[in-house]
Amino acid sequence: MVWRRAQAIGLLAVSVVAYWCLLQHGAFPPGSEEPRERRGRAETGAGPELEQEATSPAHGPPEDWMLRQRAYPRGIPAGALSRAATAADRVDAETARHTPAVLAPKWTLVGPTNIGGRVLDIALDPALPNTLYVAAATGGVWKSADAGATFTPLWPSNYPQAIGAIAAASDGTLLAGTGEASAGGGSLAYGGDGVYRSTDRGKTWANTGLSTSGAIGRIAVDPKDPKRVFVAAAGSLFNPGGERGLYRSTDEGITWTRVRAGANSTTGAVDVAIDPLNPNRVYVAMWDHIRSPDLRRYSGAGSGLFRSIDGGTKWKRLGGGLPPSTTDLGRIGLAVAPSNPSRLYAVVIRSGGVLEGFYSSSNGGDSWTKLPSDVQLTRSQATYGWWFGRVWVDPADENHVFVGGVPLMESFEGGRGWREEYEPHVDHHAMVWDDNVPGRVYLGTDGGVYRSDVNGAGEWVKAKYEPYTQFYTVDVGEQDSTHLVGGTQDNGSLRSYPGAWNEYYGGDGLANLISYEDLNAVYACAQYGYCARSTDGGDTFFDFTRATISARRNWLTPLVFDPNDPSVMYYAGDRLNRSTDGGQTWQVISPDLAGGPGRDKQYPFGTITTVAAAKTSASTILVGTDDGRLWFTTNLGQGWTHAQDPDLPSYWITRVAVDPANAKVAYATYSGYRAGVDEPYVVRTSDGGATWANITGNLPPAPVNDIVVHSKMLYVGTDVGVYLTRDSGRTWLSLGLGLPRTPVTDIRLHASTRTLFAATYGRGIYRIKLQAR
């Protein structure tokens, strides 16, 4: 197997499972084999050992950062995204009415189009050859009419962009379920608002209910009766109750009836399968799970497998060798073998996200056999098996089975032996065979869509055009605005050069920087602050993580330049580190500025999330933390002041910025929801941090992720678009047309060309030419 290799990012003391996971996600220790791809070789820098093993990028599932900041401190209010979208529509209308010049400029997609992003489900068109539909995690629904080579968007930009499931009925009707059921995914920043239906192959969509379902795990359509549809509603992750469980429609998704409720208010349905020969035989996997911002419970007594033999009216819990109802039972993935529907398979996850076992039934679920433990299958689930929960069976061979995991696992012996199938990417969520083309199978991963024409036997072709990459960050070269770098979910750190977008640093890509004086001085980070520097544009890297000191480091550990000298840099865990030689050596200049770790030790909490240095005062620095603490120093860290204004919110600080013309003027933006109220937050100080004023104004009620100060203009990136103000926040206006309404996680201004770049979480990077005032 050819691994997704990348450069070393630190000497790690990890367990066997965690180490393997680290390899899979693109991080190798010093001395490892040089990557086959063009990604560079790291050298370990001098410095102390990392203080806490939990900072390793092998610890914890992908993207919890994206979810936690929006949920802090009390979870996300129901319907938050739809209210934000409605408010965004009002701002758009007001902008168009009074200042059309601001709204008129068009946003342009920069890319990438060749990388892709997380695909959670795939459906084939029943009549049109080579036509498929995919559910992009935070990018809506997409269609390919050329066997998965290129994709075009089908989803309205003002609809919820998180798509958890998609299905096509035999008459061509499409059903899409909003909200991602893989707990912990960035799509869960907002739950979905139910099921959408299209009768014209995705040209138009209508919401048909289940508005409080939170997340949809799977949609199954009766192969003999397209009007009979089942939806597995997982429920809101943070709030019990709501429309969770298994729902049935007998009018092709127009109306719904719950036919299987959970055992308690935290149990929903996550998977459903129909016997293709006897559609009255239906199976459902129930999952008992709930979480708070700093603690997860992804198992419970309500989890289990159930069967109906009368089309979903009456249900029986399946035992006969399956695990009993216990608080340790987690997510279950199930599959029915199309060539022999009496053959069933189930992958069972227990608390801690680890594999409990793989089970097989030869009699339609009456009895089950737990197959012998397999080391490869076990480690494929790592410690977050609930991220996958998928089993697929070759329609021509009941013993040819696949299980989703970090690698794609394949068995030719009905689960009695496993191998890691060659695949070009990690993390697998969707798989479907084309009945009209023998041997053709499509695969959905965190890296997009792949096709095999040899039944998945080691030959996968990647889609050529799929612009739904999830970006955390973006930076642009001052000397050349075509030089872009950015960090992405599970696709590493990407660069736009030379020639085409490519991954140049592994893991989940986070902080990425290009020196504003030297295009070849590039910095890239993986999760939890594993960072390195390059002097040749990213071809080779030198790790500096071990030269820094912090006990806890955020998933997106801040790394920033001083605006006066790019050789002066700041890196922050729970303490602020400063370098004066371009990141080669570091000194700590602060105490622990956060409130300490949270309850869940797998996710570092109590960390610095953002840093800004003043251009007009070399000794003034501002920092913010994930627990809502705002600090500033005016003597380069010799003393720190905690901002105590009673009007400051107490939740996750996403960005701080200092006015480049006046060190006493600064800004802070926030994510999360204060006391359960969905509202944005932007604050301003004009006296060096002593007092702060709320300048949120008419911004839509959604997290504000970044702020750029330019001349007398302010620009913010939010979960529902980019906005500007000319009057210090009294009135905010929409910026430009054509930007998909998916979270804008980072914005960067290229001042000399007056071009603003926006990194979106699900639709790639966009740019817009700013109008002169």
Side-chain angles (χ1 to χ4, degrees):
M1 176 175 181
V2 180
W3 299 105
R4 281 182 73 235
R5 289 179 176 154
Q7 63 292 326
I9 54 174
L11 181 62
L12 307 175
V14 294
S15 67
V16 173
V17 172
Y19 178 75
W20 176 87
C21 179
L22 180 61
L23 302 184
Q24 290 284 55
H25 280 274
F28 272 62
S32 63
E33 180 182 346
E34 185 172 356
R36 298 186 185 183
E37 296 175 288
R38 189 171 182 258
R39 293 191 191 149
R41 183 193 310 111
E43 296 181 10
T44 304
E49 295 289 341
L50 297 180
E51 293 188 7
Q52 189 177 32
E53 181 184 346
T55 57
S56 161
H59 286 71
E63 292 189 90
D64 203 64
W65 170 86
M66 190 77 182
L67 171 63
R68 282 187 298 136
Q69 62 175 285
R70 284 158 178 77
Y72 182 76
R74 298 189 184 183
I76 298 172
L81 184 56
S82 61
R83 288 191 292 275
T86 300
D89 289 341
R90 288 197 297 268
V91 178
D92 287 350
E94 189 70 13
T95 303
R97 184 160 44 250
H98 295 291
T99 53
V102 175
L103 190 65
K106 297 286 183 70
W107 287 92
T108 302
L109 175 67
V110 178
T113 61
N114 62 328
I115 300 297
R118 190 163 71 257
V119 169
L120 292 165
D121 208 357
I122 302 173
L124 298 181
D125 192 288
L128 301 179
N130 300 320
T131 300
L132 59 151
Y133 309 90
V134 303
T138 45
V141 176
W142 295 72
K143 175 183 178 180
S144 171
D146 54 9
T150 61
F151 286 87
T152 56
L154 293 181
W155 200 244
S157 65
N158 61 339
Y159 284 12
Q161 298 297 302
I163 311 296
I166 190 165
S170 59
D171 63 357
T173 296
L174 295 178
L175 293 158
T178 58
E180 182 180 356
S182 299
S187 307
L188 282 174
Y190 299 102
D193 66 349
V195 177
Y196 287 76
R197 181 174 181 263
S198 174
T199 57
D200 53 13
R201 287 184 161 81
K203 294 179 182 177
T204 60
W205 296 85
N207 186 297
T208 63
L210 305 185
S211 61
T212 63
S213 57
I216 303 298
R218 183 67 68 92
I219 301 173
V221 183
D222 186 331
K224 297 184 178 182
D225 180 5
K227 293 186 179 299
R228 199 162 69 110
V229 183
F230 292 91
V231 165
S236 169
L237 183 61
F238 280 84
N239 304 302
E243 293 171 302
R244 66 178 72 213
L246 185 68
Y247 287 81
R248 180 181 63 194
S249 173
T250 56
D251 52 15
E252 207 165 16
I254 297 175
T255 60
W256 301 95
T257 301
R258 185 163 66 179
V259 294
R260 178 68 208 179
N264 52 45
S265 62
T266 57
T267 298
V270 71
D271 206 352
V272 58
I274 301 174
D275 183 328
L277 300 182
N278 178 13
N280 282 325
R281 187 178 289 261
V282 185
Y283 304 88
V284 63
M286 306 297 288
W287 186 17
D288 187 350
H289 65 302
I290 194 76
R291 77 160 295 168
S292 56
D294 67 336
L295 188 65
R296 299 161 299 137
R297 178 178 68 74
Y298 289 170
S299 62
S303 301
L305 279 181
F306 295 81
R307 182 185 66 194
S308 172
I309 59 174
D310 60 2
T313 301
K314 297 179 182 179
W315 294 87
K316 174 185 177 182
R317 184 186 181 99
L318 297 180
L322 286 174
S325 174
T326 68
T327 58
D328 194 47
L329 191 58
R331 181 172 181 171
I332 301 171
L334 69 106
V336 176
S339 62
N340 176 15
S342 294
R343 172 69 63 183
L344 309 179
Y345 295 100
V347 58
V348 180
I349 305 301
R350 60 179 173 85
S351 62
V354 299
L355 180 69
E356 191 280 335
F358 187 79
Y359 292 80
S360 173
S361 172
S362 60
N363 52 20
D366 290 337
S367 62
W368 295 79
T369 299
K370 183 176 182 179
L371 300 179
S373 177
D374 184 280
V375 172
Q376 292 188 90
L377 183 65
T378 297
R379 70 182 188 177
S380 77
Q381 305 302 300
T383 57
Y384 44 95
W386 38 261
W387 181 246
F388 313 109
R390 289 287 184 252
V391 184
W392 306 282
V393 186
D394 185 336
D397 183 355
E398 66 181 272
N399 292 309
H400 189 199
V401 187
F402 293 86
V403 169
V406 182
L408 179 64
M409 301 304 299
E410 182 181 28
S411 174
F412 292 96
E413 303 166 337
R416 295 187 179 276
W418 295 91
R419 72 167 188 166
E420 296 166 357
E421 170 61 71
Y422 168 81
E423 89 288 332
H425 206 279
V426 296
D427 289 5
H428 302 82
H429 307 282
M431 198 171 187
V432 63
W433 279 260
D434 188 339
D435 293 336
N436 297 315
V437 183
R440 176 168 291 178
V441 59
Y442 295 96
L443 181 67
T445 76
D446 274 12
V449 176
Y450 297 83
R451 189 192 77 227
S452 169
D453 289 323
V454 290
N455 213 23
E459 296 182 18
W460 294 96
V461 178
K462 181 176 175 57
K464 296 178 181 178
Y465 187 90
E466 46 179 346
Y468 35 76
T469 306
Q470 296 172 312
F471 273 88
Y472 294 117
T473 60
V474 63
D475 201 13
V476 56
E478 286 297 325
Q479 292 82 25
D480 184 348
S481 63
T482 68
H483 275 231
L484 291 121
V485 295
T488 67
Q489 190 277 318
D490 214 20
N491 286 283
S493 292
L494 304 180
R495 58 183 178 180
S496 62
Y497 59 91
W501 285 89
N502 61 97
E503 181 181 352
Y504 73 108
Y505 197 75
D508 278 72
L510 279 310
N512 272 233
L513 295 175
I514 301 176
S515 169
Y516 51 83
E517 290 185 354
D518 181 1
L519 278 176
N520 288 317
V522 175
Y523 299 80
C525 299
Q527 54 266 55
Y528 299 117
Y530 282 78
C531 302
R533 59 186 180 85
S534 173
T535 57
D536 57 11
D539 288 343
T540 57
F541 275 96
F542 302 88
D543 171 73
F544 63 76
T545 307
R546 294 174 67 240
T548 66
I549 296 176
S550 279
R552 301 177 304 279
R553 302 160 203 251
N554 198 272
W555 174 265
L556 201 169
T557 297
L559 179 69
V560 300
F561 292 119
D562 187 291
N564 300 289
D565 181 356
S567 65
V568 177
M569 304 183 71
Y570 297 94
Y571 169 104
D574 59 327
R575 288 168 278 184
L576 185 62
N577 290 250
R578 182 175 188 262
S579 173
T580 58
D581 54 13
Q584 298 181 64
T585 61
W586 296 85
Q587 301 80 40
V588 174
I589 64 167
S590 84
D592 185 339
L593 295 177
R599 292 177 291 171
D600 193 331
K601 303 305 179 185
Q602 195 174 6
Y603 298 87
F605 192 74
T607 63
I608 296 170
T609 53
T610 177
V611 180
K615 186 172 179 61
T616 58
S617 173
S619 58
T620 297
I621 306 167
L622 187 66
V623 305
T625 71
D626 54 13
D627 54 3
R629 299 166 191 260
L630 192 57
W631 296 86
F632 60 92
T633 178
T634 56
N635 53 17
L636 210 59
Q638 295 182 43
W640 289 87
T641 301
H642 182 196
Q644 297 287 347
D645 192 308
D647 292 329
L648 286 174
S650 58
Y651 46 86
W652 192 298
I653 301 175
T654 54
R655 196 76 77 215
V656 290
V658 183
D659 190 319
N662 185 349
K664 289 188 176 296
V665 177
Y667 303 86
T669 63
Y670 292 79
S671 188
Y673 295 92
R674 189 178 190 182
V677 177
D678 48 340
E679 59 183 19
Y681 229 93
V682 184
V683 296
R684 178 181 187 268
T685 181
S686 57
D687 55 14
T691 60
W692 296 80
N694 181 359
I695 62 166
T696 303
N698 61 317
L699 279 174
V704 182
N705 304 312
D706 197 4
I707 185 166
V708 167
V709 185
H710 179 62
S711 185
K712 294 184 179 181
M713 305 279 280
L714 299 177
Y715 302 89
V716 294
T718 79
D719 272 16
V720 290
V722 178
Y723 300 88
L724 66 87
T725 180
R726 297 165 166 171
D727 54 15
S728 297
R730 287 189 292 275
T731 304
W732 293 89
L733 307 170
S734 304
L735 178 61
L737 297 170
L739 184 66
R741 195 170 285 170
T742 194
V744 175
T745 50
D746 200 13
I747 55 177
R748 288 290 181 269
L749 176 66
H750 191 256
S752 63
T753 61
R754 292 188 58 81
T755 303
L756 191 72
F757 291 83
T760 75
Y761 196 73
R763 294 292 295 269
I765 294 173
Y766 282 73
R767 70 168 179 256
I768 191 170
K769 187 80 169 182
L770 300 177
Q771 303 295 301
R773 286 200 64 187

